[in-house]
Amino acid sequence: MKLSSIRSRLGRAANTAMLSNVARSVRRDRLTYLSPAKLLRIERALDTTLRPDVPGDIVEFGVALGGSAILLAKRAIPPRRFFGLDVFAMIPPPTSDKDDSRSKQRYQDILEGSSSGIGGDVYYGYRDDLYEYVSRQLSRYGTPVDGVRVNLVKGLFEESWPTLEISSLAFAHIDCDWYDPVKYCLNAAAPRLSRGGLIVMDDYHDYAGCKAAVDEFLIANPGFEMLDGVNPVLRHRRS
């Protein structure tokens, strides 16, 4: 075995060991595509953000199978609420010229039915009961979708987000791959993010469209800074 492979396995094992029991459980249950390193970064970001002096709700744009939604919903202690937004179906295609060939090939693979799920499961986008499935998982983990503390919102982000009564956000997780939805989600969440609030970006190092949207956002919004990593964190600077 190559030394790089050994180091990679040791790194994954170390990150897994530092995860919460819930995070390890959602991975065992094949409810998240996120690596242990990404889940650990989300949990640490939550620990530094969800304090009394950082008010607001928790939102996730792109729920997939619900693994990270479970982590976030667990931290939605009243008066905080959790909102998980997703089409709960086949994801829309990348349509911007800022989306690279890798993004478009990835979508083509999904469209042709050749994408595989976690551990041989059916790819989540092919399920016709995805909303119900995610709801069941949230309930199984003790965070049922009650429309008050825990909310799942079905539809395109640009259609569902304006209908929500959210005055402030403490934390947002953006996991929607392509340029246009990432750009929309950043511009939707940022004005409501409390001072000290955080936005975690899942696909910055994976897809060029996501990276372009984030880079443009940071140029246009100097009140934010990026803490790089496997899933970069955008922080609203305190005044």
PDB file of all heavy atoms in Angstrom, residues 111-150:
ATOM      1  N   LEU A 111     -28.227  12.030 -14.899  1.00  0.00           N
ATOM      2  CA  LEU A 111     -29.373  12.023 -15.807  1.00  0.00           C
ATOM      3  C   LEU A 111     -29.523  10.686 -16.516  1.00  0.00           C
ATOM      4  O   LEU A 111     -30.649  10.203 -16.743  1.00  0.00           O
ATOM      5  CB  LEU A 111     -29.213  13.150 -16.834  1.00  0.00           C
ATOM      6  CG  LEU A 111     -30.434  13.531 -17.664  1.00  0.00           C
ATOM      7  CD1 LEU A 111     -31.544  14.066 -16.766  1.00  0.00           C
ATOM      8  CD2 LEU A 111     -30.049  14.570 -18.704  1.00  0.00           C
ATOM      9  N   GLU A 112     -28.399  10.063 -16.847  1.00  0.00           N
ATOM     10  CA  GLU A 112     -28.424   8.792 -17.567  1.00  0.00           C
ATOM     11  C   GLU A 112     -28.679   7.598 -16.653  1.00  0.00           C
ATOM     12  O   GLU A 112     -28.762   6.464 -17.114  1.00  0.00           O
ATOM     13  CB  GLU A 112     -27.102   8.600 -18.314  1.00  0.00           C
ATOM     14  CG  GLU A 112     -26.918   9.591 -19.463  1.00  0.00           C
ATOM     15  CD  GLU A 112     -25.550   9.487 -20.102  1.00  0.00           C
ATOM     16  OE1 GLU A 112     -24.710   8.714 -19.589  1.00  0.00           O
ATOM     17  OE2 GLU A 112     -25.322  10.176 -21.113  1.00  0.00           O
ATOM     18  N   GLY A 113     -28.786   7.852 -15.342  1.00  0.00           N
ATOM     19  CA  GLY A 113     -29.094   6.778 -14.407  1.00  0.00           C
ATOM     20  C   GLY A 113     -27.910   5.951 -13.981  1.00  0.00           C
ATOM     21  O   GLY A 113     -28.068   4.875 -13.408  1.00  0.00           O
ATOM     22  N   SER A 114     -26.699   6.476 -14.229  1.00  0.00           N
ATOM     23  CA  SER A 114     -25.502   5.690 -13.918  1.00  0.00           C
ATOM     24  C   SER A 114     -24.847   6.079 -12.604  1.00  0.00           C
ATOM     25  O   SER A 114     -23.787   5.565 -12.260  1.00  0.00           O
ATOM     26  CB  SER A 114     -24.478   5.834 -15.049  1.00  0.00           C
ATOM     27  OG  SER A 114     -24.116   7.191 -15.250  1.00  0.00           O
ATOM     28  N   SER A 115     -25.480   6.978 -11.865  1.00  0.00           N
ATOM     29  CA  SER A 115     -24.915   7.383 -10.586  1.00  0.00           C
ATOM     30  C   SER A 115     -25.304   6.365  -9.517  1.00  0.00           C
ATOM     31  O   SER A 115     -26.444   5.904  -9.462  1.00  0.00           O
ATOM     32  CB  SER A 115     -25.422   8.768 -10.185  1.00  0.00           C
ATOM     33  OG  SER A 115     -24.760   9.233  -9.034  1.00  0.00           O
ATOM     34  N   SER A 116     -24.352   6.007  -8.682  1.00  0.00           N
ATOM     35  CA  SER A 116     -24.615   5.020  -7.633  1.00  0.00           C
ATOM     36  C   SER A 116     -24.721   5.703  -6.277  1.00  0.00           C
ATOM     37  O   SER A 116     -24.148   6.765  -6.054  1.00  0.00           O
ATOM     38  CB  SER A 116     -23.504   3.966  -7.590  1.00  0.00           C
ATOM     39  OG  SER A 116     -22.249   4.574  -7.357  1.00  0.00           O
ATOM     40  N   GLY A 117     -25.445   5.077  -5.384  1.00  0.00           N
ATOM     41  CA  GLY A 117     -25.611   5.608  -4.042  1.00  0.00           C
ATOM     42  C   GLY A 117     -24.514   5.133  -3.105  1.00  0.00           C
ATOM     43  O   GLY A 117     -23.546   4.488  -3.519  1.00  0.00           O
ATOM     44  N   ILE A 118     -24.676   5.441  -1.847  1.00  0.00           N
ATOM     45  CA  ILE A 118     -23.686   5.083  -0.834  1.00  0.00           C
ATOM     46  C   ILE A 118     -23.759   3.583  -0.557  1.00  0.00           C
ATOM     47  O   ILE A 118     -24.836   3.046  -0.288  1.00  0.00           O
ATOM     48  CB  ILE A 118     -23.930   5.874   0.463  1.00  0.00           C
ATOM     49  CG1 ILE A 118     -23.916   7.375   0.179  1.00  0.00           C
ATOM     50  CG2 ILE A 118     -22.878   5.525   1.515  1.00  0.00           C
ATOM     51  CD1 ILE A 118     -24.375   8.231   1.356  1.00  0.00           C
ATOM     52  N   GLY A 119     -22.625   2.925  -0.610  1.00  0.00           N
ATOM     53  CA  GLY A 119     -22.577   1.513  -0.271  1.00  0.00           C
ATOM     54  C   GLY A 119     -23.460   0.624  -1.112  1.00  0.00           C
ATOM     55  O   GLY A 119     -23.962  -0.403  -0.646  1.00  0.00           O
ATOM     56  N   GLY A 120     -23.679   1.030  -2.368  1.00  0.00           N
ATOM     57  CA  GLY A 120     -24.510   0.229  -3.253  1.00  0.00           C
ATOM     58  C   GLY A 120     -25.991   0.545  -3.186  1.00  0.00           C
ATOM     59  O   GLY A 120     -26.798  -0.085  -3.889  1.00  0.00           O
ATOM     60  N   ASP A 121     -26.381   1.503  -2.358  1.00  0.00           N
ATOM     61  CA  ASP A 121     -27.783   1.918  -2.294  1.00  0.00           C
ATOM     62  C   ASP A 121     -28.179   2.631  -3.589  1.00  0.00           C
ATOM     63  O   ASP A 121     -27.329   3.047  -4.381  1.00  0.00           O
ATOM     64  CB  ASP A 121     -28.011   2.871  -1.116  1.00  0.00           C
ATOM     65  CG  ASP A 121     -27.871   2.193   0.226  1.00  0.00           C
ATOM     66  OD1 ASP A 121     -27.886   0.950   0.264  1.00  0.00           O
ATOM     67  OD2 ASP A 121     -27.722   2.911   1.234  1.00  0.00           O
ATOM     68  N   VAL A 122     -29.468   2.822  -3.774  1.00  0.00           N
ATOM     69  CA  VAL A 122     -29.964   3.611  -4.899  1.00  0.00           C
ATOM     70  C   VAL A 122     -29.546   5.066  -4.697  1.00  0.00           C
ATOM     71  O   VAL A 122     -29.642   5.601  -3.582  1.00  0.00           O
ATOM     72  CB  VAL A 122     -31.502   3.511  -4.994  1.00  0.00           C
ATOM     73  CG1 VAL A 122     -32.050   4.457  -6.055  1.00  0.00           C
ATOM     74  CG2 VAL A 122     -31.924   2.078  -5.276  1.00  0.00           C
ATOM     75  N   TYR A 123     -29.083   5.699  -5.755  1.00  0.00           N
ATOM     76  CA  TYR A 123     -28.727   7.119  -5.674  1.00  0.00           C
ATOM     77  C   TYR A 123     -29.942   7.922  -5.211  1.00  0.00           C
ATOM     78  O   TYR A 123     -31.058   7.718  -5.706  1.00  0.00           O
ATOM     79  CB  TYR A 123     -28.244   7.601  -7.039  1.00  0.00           C
ATOM     80  CG  TYR A 123     -27.985   9.084  -7.122  1.00  0.00           C
ATOM     81  CD1 TYR A 123     -26.959   9.668  -6.378  1.00  0.00           C
ATOM     82  CD2 TYR A 123     -28.787   9.898  -7.912  1.00  0.00           C
ATOM     83  CE1 TYR A 123     -26.728  11.034  -6.443  1.00  0.00           C
ATOM     84  CE2 TYR A 123     -28.563  11.256  -7.984  1.00  0.00           C
ATOM     85  CZ  TYR A 123     -27.537  11.829  -7.248  1.00  0.00           C
ATOM     86  OH  TYR A 123     -27.319  13.181  -7.311  1.00  0.00           O
ATOM     87  N   TYR A 124     -29.723   8.823  -4.280  1.00  0.00           N
ATOM     88  CA  TYR A 124     -30.856   9.494  -3.629  1.00  0.00           C
ATOM     89  C   TYR A 124     -31.743  10.254  -4.615  1.00  0.00           C
ATOM     90  O   TYR A 124     -32.963  10.338  -4.430  1.00  0.00           O
ATOM     91  CB  TYR A 124     -30.362  10.428  -2.517  1.00  0.00           C
ATOM     92  CG  TYR A 124     -29.752  11.723  -2.981  1.00  0.00           C
ATOM     93  CD1 TYR A 124     -30.514  12.872  -3.092  1.00  0.00           C
ATOM     94  CD2 TYR A 124     -28.394  11.805  -3.306  1.00  0.00           C
ATOM     95  CE1 TYR A 124     -29.958  14.072  -3.523  1.00  0.00           C
ATOM     96  CE2 TYR A 124     -27.833  12.990  -3.728  1.00  0.00           C
ATOM     97  CZ  TYR A 124     -28.615  14.123  -3.840  1.00  0.00           C
ATOM     98  OH  TYR A 124     -28.055  15.295  -4.265  1.00  0.00           O
ATOM     99  N   GLY A 125     -31.152  10.801  -5.671  1.00  0.00           N
ATOM    100  CA  GLY A 125     -31.933  11.564  -6.630  1.00  0.00           C
ATOM    101  C   GLY A 125     -32.889  10.737  -7.454  1.00  0.00           C
ATOM    102  O   GLY A 125     -33.767  11.278  -8.124  1.00  0.00           O
ATOM    103  N   TYR A 126     -32.719   9.414  -7.419  1.00  0.00           N
ATOM    104  CA  TYR A 126     -33.615   8.529  -8.159  1.00  0.00           C
ATOM    105  C   TYR A 126     -34.815   8.079  -7.323  1.00  0.00           C
ATOM    106  O   TYR A 126     -35.716   7.416  -7.848  1.00  0.00           O
ATOM    107  CB  TYR A 126     -32.852   7.281  -8.626  1.00  0.00           C
ATOM    108  CG  TYR A 126     -31.663   7.564  -9.513  1.00  0.00           C
ATOM    109  CD1 TYR A 126     -30.578   6.688  -9.546  1.00  0.00           C
ATOM    110  CD2 TYR A 126     -31.597   8.704 -10.321  1.00  0.00           C
ATOM    111  CE1 TYR A 126     -29.476   6.928 -10.363  1.00  0.00           C
ATOM    112  CE2 TYR A 126     -30.496   8.959 -11.125  1.00  0.00           C
ATOM    113  CZ  TYR A 126     -29.438   8.063 -11.145  1.00  0.00           C
ATOM    114  OH  TYR A 126     -28.353   8.303 -11.946  1.00  0.00           O
ATOM    115  N   ARG A 127     -34.817   8.393  -6.048  1.00  0.00           N
ATOM    116  CA  ARG A 127     -35.922   7.980  -5.184  1.00  0.00           C
ATOM    117  C   ARG A 127     -37.147   8.848  -5.470  1.00  0.00           C
ATOM    118  O   ARG A 127     -37.035  10.055  -5.675  1.00  0.00           O
ATOM    119  CB  ARG A 127     -35.544   8.128  -3.706  1.00  0.00           C
ATOM    120  CG  ARG A 127     -34.340   7.311  -3.259  1.00  0.00           C
ATOM    121  CD  ARG A 127     -34.158   7.448  -1.761  1.00  0.00           C
ATOM    122  NE  ARG A 127     -35.259   6.845  -1.038  1.00  0.00           N
ATOM    123  CZ  ARG A 127     -35.165   5.764  -0.278  1.00  0.00           C
ATOM    124  NH1 ARG A 127     -33.996   5.163  -0.123  1.00  0.00           N
ATOM    125  NH2 ARG A 127     -36.202   5.279   0.349  1.00  0.00           N
ATOM    126  N   ASP A 128     -38.317   8.234  -5.461  1.00  0.00           N
ATOM    127  CA  ASP A 128     -39.545   9.011  -5.631  1.00  0.00           C
ATOM    128  C   ASP A 128     -40.218   9.304  -4.295  1.00  0.00           C
ATOM    129  O   ASP A 128     -41.309   9.878  -4.258  1.00  0.00           O
ATOM    130  CB  ASP A 128     -40.520   8.293  -6.577  1.00  0.00           C
ATOM    131  CG  ASP A 128     -40.887   6.888  -6.103  1.00  0.00           C
ATOM    132  OD1 ASP A 128     -40.529   6.527  -4.952  1.00  0.00           O
ATOM    133  OD2 ASP A 128     -41.524   6.152  -6.876  1.00  0.00           O
ATOM    134  N   ASP A 129     -39.546   8.910  -3.195  1.00  0.00           N
ATOM    135  CA  ASP A 129     -40.086   9.152  -1.856  1.00  0.00           C
ATOM    136  C   ASP A 129     -39.069   9.882  -0.985  1.00  0.00           C
ATOM    137  O   ASP A 129     -39.045   9.701   0.231  1.00  0.00           O
ATOM    138  CB  ASP A 129     -40.472   7.833  -1.184  1.00  0.00           C
ATOM    139  CG  ASP A 129     -39.258   6.938  -0.912  1.00  0.00           C
ATOM    140  OD1 ASP A 129     -38.199   7.130  -1.560  1.00  0.00           O
ATOM    141  OD2 ASP A 129     -39.351   6.057  -0.028  1.00  0.00           O
ATOM    142  N   LEU A 130     -38.224  10.700  -1.614  1.00  0.00           N
ATOM    143  CA  LEU A 130     -37.093  11.270  -0.883  1.00  0.00           C
ATOM    144  C   LEU A 130     -37.542  12.156   0.277  1.00  0.00           C
ATOM    145  O   LEU A 130     -36.970  12.086   1.370  1.00  0.00           O
ATOM    146  CB  LEU A 130     -36.196  12.064  -1.836  1.00  0.00           C
ATOM    147  CG  LEU A 130     -34.888  12.594  -1.240  1.00  0.00           C
ATOM    148  CD1 LEU A 130     -34.037  11.480  -0.658  1.00  0.00           C
ATOM    149  CD2 LEU A 130     -34.098  13.363  -2.307  1.00  0.00           C
ATOM    150  N   TYR A 131     -38.539  12.992   0.061  1.00  0.00           N
ATOM    151  CA  TYR A 131     -39.021  13.852   1.147  1.00  0.00           C
ATOM    152  C   TYR A 131     -39.488  13.000   2.327  1.00  0.00           C
ATOM    153  O   TYR A 131     -39.126  13.265   3.481  1.00  0.00           O
ATOM    154  CB  TYR A 131     -40.160  14.741   0.651  1.00  0.00           C
ATOM    155  CG  TYR A 131     -40.697  15.683   1.703  1.00  0.00           C
ATOM    156  CD1 TYR A 131     -40.220  16.977   1.829  1.00  0.00           C
ATOM    157  CD2 TYR A 131     -41.702  15.265   2.591  1.00  0.00           C
ATOM    158  CE1 TYR A 131     -40.715  17.850   2.797  1.00  0.00           C
ATOM    159  CE2 TYR A 131     -42.198  16.113   3.568  1.00  0.00           C
ATOM    160  CZ  TYR A 131     -41.703  17.397   3.664  1.00  0.00           C
ATOM    161  OH  TYR A 131     -42.178  18.242   4.639  1.00  0.00           O
ATOM    162  N   GLU A 132     -40.271  11.980   2.046  1.00  0.00           N
ATOM    163  CA  GLU A 132     -40.786  11.115   3.114  1.00  0.00           C
ATOM    164  C   GLU A 132     -39.641  10.352   3.787  1.00  0.00           C
ATOM    165  O   GLU A 132     -39.649  10.177   5.010  1.00  0.00           O
ATOM    166  CB  GLU A 132     -41.818  10.145   2.546  1.00  0.00           C
ATOM    167  CG  GLU A 132     -43.107  10.783   2.064  1.00  0.00           C
ATOM    168  CD  GLU A 132     -42.989  11.480   0.723  1.00  0.00           C
ATOM    169  OE1 GLU A 132     -41.976  11.239   0.014  1.00  0.00           O
ATOM    170  OE2 GLU A 132     -43.886  12.265   0.367  1.00  0.00           O
ATOM    171  N   TYR A 133     -38.675   9.916   2.992  1.00  0.00           N
ATOM    172  CA  TYR A 133     -37.538   9.177   3.539  1.00  0.00           C
ATOM    173  C   TYR A 133     -36.738  10.040   4.507  1.00  0.00           C
ATOM    174  O   TYR A 133     -36.412   9.607   5.625  1.00  0.00           O
ATOM    175  CB  TYR A 133     -36.636   8.690   2.405  1.00  0.00           C
ATOM    176  CG  TYR A 133     -35.410   7.946   2.874  1.00  0.00           C
ATOM    177  CD1 TYR A 133     -35.485   6.615   3.256  1.00  0.00           C
ATOM    178  CD2 TYR A 133     -34.170   8.592   2.968  1.00  0.00           C
ATOM    179  CE1 TYR A 133     -34.359   5.926   3.701  1.00  0.00           C
ATOM    180  CE2 TYR A 133     -33.052   7.920   3.422  1.00  0.00           C
ATOM    181  CZ  TYR A 133     -33.148   6.599   3.785  1.00  0.00           C
ATOM    182  OH  TYR A 133     -32.033   5.932   4.246  1.00  0.00           O
ATOM    183  N   VAL A 134     -36.420  11.268   4.087  1.00  0.00           N
ATOM    184  CA  VAL A 134     -35.658  12.165   4.963  1.00  0.00           C
ATOM    185  C   VAL A 134     -36.463  12.486   6.212  1.00  0.00           C
ATOM    186  O   VAL A 134     -35.917  12.532   7.324  1.00  0.00           O
ATOM    187  CB  VAL A 134     -35.267  13.453   4.210  1.00  0.00           C
ATOM    188  CG1 VAL A 134     -34.625  14.461   5.168  1.00  0.00           C
ATOM    189  CG2 VAL A 134     -34.312  13.127   3.065  1.00  0.00           C
ATOM    190  N   SER A 135     -37.761  12.682   6.058  1.00  0.00           N
ATOM    191  CA  SER A 135     -38.616  12.949   7.226  1.00  0.00           C
ATOM    192  C   SER A 135     -38.544  11.798   8.226  1.00  0.00           C
ATOM    193  O   SER A 135     -38.457  12.028   9.443  1.00  0.00           O
ATOM    194  CB  SER A 135     -40.067  13.163   6.785  1.00  0.00           C
ATOM    195  OG  SER A 135     -40.202  14.308   5.978  1.00  0.00           O
ATOM    196  N   ARG A 136     -38.572  10.576   7.720  1.00  0.00           N
ATOM    197  CA  ARG A 136     -38.504   9.415   8.613  1.00  0.00           C
ATOM    198  C   ARG A 136     -37.170   9.358   9.346  1.00  0.00           C
ATOM    199  O   ARG A 136     -37.118   9.016  10.536  1.00  0.00           O
ATOM    200  CB  ARG A 136     -38.717   8.118   7.824  1.00  0.00           C
ATOM    201  CG  ARG A 136     -40.124   7.907   7.320  1.00  0.00           C
ATOM    202  CD  ARG A 136     -40.360   6.455   6.924  1.00  0.00           C
ATOM    203  NE  ARG A 136     -39.469   6.006   5.860  1.00  0.00           N
ATOM    204  CZ  ARG A 136     -39.722   6.134   4.565  1.00  0.00           C
ATOM    205  NH1 ARG A 136     -40.851   6.715   4.168  1.00  0.00           N
ATOM    206  NH2 ARG A 136     -38.881   5.670   3.661  1.00  0.00           N
ATOM    207  N   GLN A 137     -36.090   9.701   8.660  1.00  0.00           N
ATOM    208  CA  GLN A 137     -34.773   9.658   9.310  1.00  0.00           C
ATOM    209  C   GLN A 137     -34.674  10.720  10.400  1.00  0.00           C
ATOM    210  O   GLN A 137     -34.138  10.465  11.491  1.00  0.00           O
ATOM    211  CB  GLN A 137     -33.656   9.842   8.280  1.00  0.00           C
ATOM    212  CG  GLN A 137     -33.679   8.864   7.123  1.00  0.00           C
ATOM    213  CD  GLN A 137     -33.940   7.433   7.556  1.00  0.00           C
ATOM    214  OE1 GLN A 137     -33.290   6.894   8.455  1.00  0.00           O
ATOM    215  NE2 GLN A 137     -34.918   6.798   6.909  1.00  0.00           N
ATOM    216  N   LEU A 138     -35.174  11.899  10.125  1.00  0.00           N
ATOM    217  CA  LEU A 138     -35.165  12.951  11.142  1.00  0.00           C
ATOM    218  C   LEU A 138     -35.966  12.522  12.365  1.00  0.00           C
ATOM    219  O   LEU A 138     -35.540  12.723  13.511  1.00  0.00           O
ATOM    220  CB  LEU A 138     -35.724  14.253  10.569  1.00  0.00           C
ATOM    221  CG  LEU A 138     -34.758  15.044   9.687  1.00  0.00           C
ATOM    222  CD1 LEU A 138     -35.516  16.025   8.797  1.00  0.00           C
ATOM    223  CD2 LEU A 138     -33.743  15.806  10.536  1.00  0.00           C
ATOM    224  N   SER A 139     -37.106  11.905  12.138  1.00  0.00           N
ATOM    225  CA  SER A 139     -37.930  11.433  13.248  1.00  0.00           C
ATOM    226  C   SER A 139     -37.214  10.334  14.023  1.00  0.00           C
ATOM    227  O   SER A 139     -37.230  10.303  15.262  1.00  0.00           O
ATOM    228  CB  SER A 139     -39.269  10.923  12.714  1.00  0.00           C
ATOM    229  OG  SER A 139     -40.090  10.488  13.774  1.00  0.00           O
ATOM    230  N   ARG A 140     -36.551   9.435  13.294  1.00  0.00           N
ATOM    231  CA  ARG A 140     -35.852   8.318  13.935  1.00  0.00           C
ATOM    232  C   ARG A 140     -34.727   8.809  14.837  1.00  0.00           C
ATOM    233  O   ARG A 140     -34.408   8.172  15.846  1.00  0.00           O
ATOM    234  CB  ARG A 140     -35.296   7.387  12.855  1.00  0.00           C
ATOM    235  CG  ARG A 140     -34.730   6.088  13.363  1.00  0.00           C
ATOM    236  CD  ARG A 140     -34.606   5.083  12.243  1.00  0.00           C
ATOM    237  NE  ARG A 140     -33.633   5.485  11.245  1.00  0.00           N
ATOM    238  CZ  ARG A 140     -32.330   5.213  11.327  1.00  0.00           C
ATOM    239  NH1 ARG A 140     -31.857   4.535  12.361  1.00  0.00           N
ATOM    240  NH2 ARG A 140     -31.504   5.580  10.381  1.00  0.00           N
ATOM    241  N   TYR A 141     -34.146   9.952  14.498  1.00  0.00           N
ATOM    242  CA  TYR A 141     -33.069  10.521  15.304  1.00  0.00           C
ATOM    243  C   TYR A 141     -33.575  11.513  16.361  1.00  0.00           C
ATOM    244  O   TYR A 141     -32.796  12.238  16.962  1.00  0.00           O
ATOM    245  CB  TYR A 141     -32.042  11.206  14.405  1.00  0.00           C
ATOM    246  CG  TYR A 141     -30.980  10.250  13.887  1.00  0.00           C
ATOM    247  CD1 TYR A 141     -31.202   9.482  12.751  1.00  0.00           C
ATOM    248  CD2 TYR A 141     -29.762  10.122  14.544  1.00  0.00           C
ATOM    249  CE1 TYR A 141     -30.232   8.607  12.267  1.00  0.00           C
ATOM    250  CE2 TYR A 141     -28.783   9.257  14.076  1.00  0.00           C
ATOM    251  CZ  TYR A 141     -29.029   8.502  12.936  1.00  0.00           C
ATOM    252  OH  TYR A 141     -28.061   7.638  12.475  1.00  0.00           O
ATOM    253  N   GLY A 142     -34.873  11.546  16.566  1.00  0.00           N
ATOM    254  CA  GLY A 142     -35.421  12.377  17.631  1.00  0.00           C
ATOM    255  C   GLY A 142     -35.663  13.820  17.261  1.00  0.00           C
ATOM    256  O   GLY A 142     -35.850  14.666  18.147  1.00  0.00           O
ATOM    257  N   THR A 143     -35.674  14.122  15.958  1.00  0.00           N
ATOM    258  CA  THR A 143     -35.930  15.493  15.511  1.00  0.00           C
ATOM    259  C   THR A 143     -37.027  15.470  14.444  1.00  0.00           C
ATOM    260  O   THR A 143     -36.772  15.758  13.269  1.00  0.00           O
ATOM    261  CB  THR A 143     -34.646  16.139  14.948  1.00  0.00           C
ATOM    262  OG1 THR A 143     -34.056  15.237  13.981  1.00  0.00           O
ATOM    263  CG2 THR A 143     -33.647  16.420  16.043  1.00  0.00           C
ATOM    264  N   PRO A 144     -38.251  15.121  14.821  1.00  0.00           N
ATOM    265  CA  PRO A 144     -39.322  15.002  13.834  1.00  0.00           C
ATOM    266  C   PRO A 144     -39.639  16.333  13.159  1.00  0.00           C
ATOM    267  O   PRO A 144     -39.491  17.405  13.755  1.00  0.00           O
ATOM    268  CB  PRO A 144     -40.508  14.503  14.666  1.00  0.00           C
ATOM    269  CG  PRO A 144     -40.209  14.957  16.059  1.00  0.00           C
ATOM    270  CD  PRO A 144     -38.717  14.861  16.199  1.00  0.00           C
ATOM    271  N   VAL A 145     -40.059  16.237  11.918  1.00  0.00           N
ATOM    272  CA  VAL A 145     -40.458  17.433  11.170  1.00  0.00           C
ATOM    273  C   VAL A 145     -41.824  17.866  11.699  1.00  0.00           C
ATOM    274  O   VAL A 145     -42.852  17.283  11.367  1.00  0.00           O
ATOM    275  CB  VAL A 145     -40.522  17.135   9.657  1.00  0.00           C
ATOM    276  CG1 VAL A 145     -40.949  18.387   8.891  1.00  0.00           C
ATOM    277  CG2 VAL A 145     -39.170  16.627   9.157  1.00  0.00           C
ATOM    278  N   ASP A 146     -41.791  18.898  12.526  1.00  0.00           N
ATOM    279  CA  ASP A 146     -43.029  19.354  13.170  1.00  0.00           C
ATOM    280  C   ASP A 146     -43.541  20.672  12.617  1.00  0.00           C
ATOM    281  O   ASP A 146     -44.581  21.177  13.059  1.00  0.00           O
ATOM    282  CB  ASP A 146     -42.829  19.466  14.686  1.00  0.00           C
ATOM    283  CG  ASP A 146     -41.717  20.439  15.069  1.00  0.00           C
ATOM    284  OD1 ASP A 146     -41.161  21.117  14.174  1.00  0.00           O
ATOM    285  OD2 ASP A 146     -41.392  20.523  16.266  1.00  0.00           O
ATOM    286  N   GLY A 147     -42.816  21.273  11.665  1.00  0.00           N
ATOM    287  CA  GLY A 147     -43.233  22.548  11.108  1.00  0.00           C
ATOM    288  C   GLY A 147     -43.005  23.726  12.029  1.00  0.00           C
ATOM    289  O   GLY A 147     -43.389  24.851  11.713  1.00  0.00           O
ATOM    290  N   VAL A 148     -42.385  23.478  13.160  1.00  0.00           N
ATOM    291  CA  VAL A 148     -42.091  24.545  14.114  1.00  0.00           C
ATOM    292  C   VAL A 148     -40.580  24.585  14.359  1.00  0.00           C
ATOM    293  O   VAL A 148     -39.872  25.444  13.826  1.00  0.00           O
ATOM    294  CB  VAL A 148     -42.854  24.342  15.442  1.00  0.00           C
ATOM    295  CG1 VAL A 148     -42.540  25.480  16.404  1.00  0.00           C
ATOM    296  CG2 VAL A 148     -44.349  24.266  15.192  1.00  0.00           C
ATOM    297  N   ARG A 149     -40.092  23.637  15.136  1.00  0.00           N
ATOM    298  CA  ARG A 149     -38.654  23.584  15.387  1.00  0.00           C
ATOM    299  C   ARG A 149     -37.892  23.031  14.183  1.00  0.00           C
ATOM    300  O   ARG A 149     -36.821  23.511  13.826  1.00  0.00           O
ATOM    301  CB  ARG A 149     -38.374  22.719  16.614  1.00  0.00           C
ATOM    302  CG  ARG A 149     -36.895  22.509  16.892  1.00  0.00           C
ATOM    303  CD  ARG A 149     -36.664  21.468  17.968  1.00  0.00           C
ATOM    304  NE  ARG A 149     -35.267  21.044  18.018  1.00  0.00           N
ATOM    305  CZ  ARG A 149     -34.841  19.936  18.587  1.00  0.00           C
ATOM    306  NH1 ARG A 149     -35.714  19.123  19.165  1.00  0.00           N
ATOM    307  NH2 ARG A 149     -33.562  19.618  18.578  1.00  0.00           N
ATOM    308  N   VAL A 150     -38.424  22.003  13.548  1.00  0.00           N
ATOM    309  CA  VAL A 150     -37.762  21.341  12.418  1.00  0.00           C
ATOM    310  C   VAL A 150     -38.666  21.422  11.196  1.00  0.00           C
ATOM    311  O   VAL A 150     -39.828  20.998  11.232  1.00  0.00           O
ATOM    312  CB  VAL A 150     -37.441  19.868  12.747  1.00  0.00           C
ATOM    313  CG1 VAL A 150     -36.787  19.182  11.547  1.00  0.00           C
ATOM    314  CG2 VAL A 150     -36.529  19.785  13.969  1.00  0.00           C
TER     315      VAL A 150
END
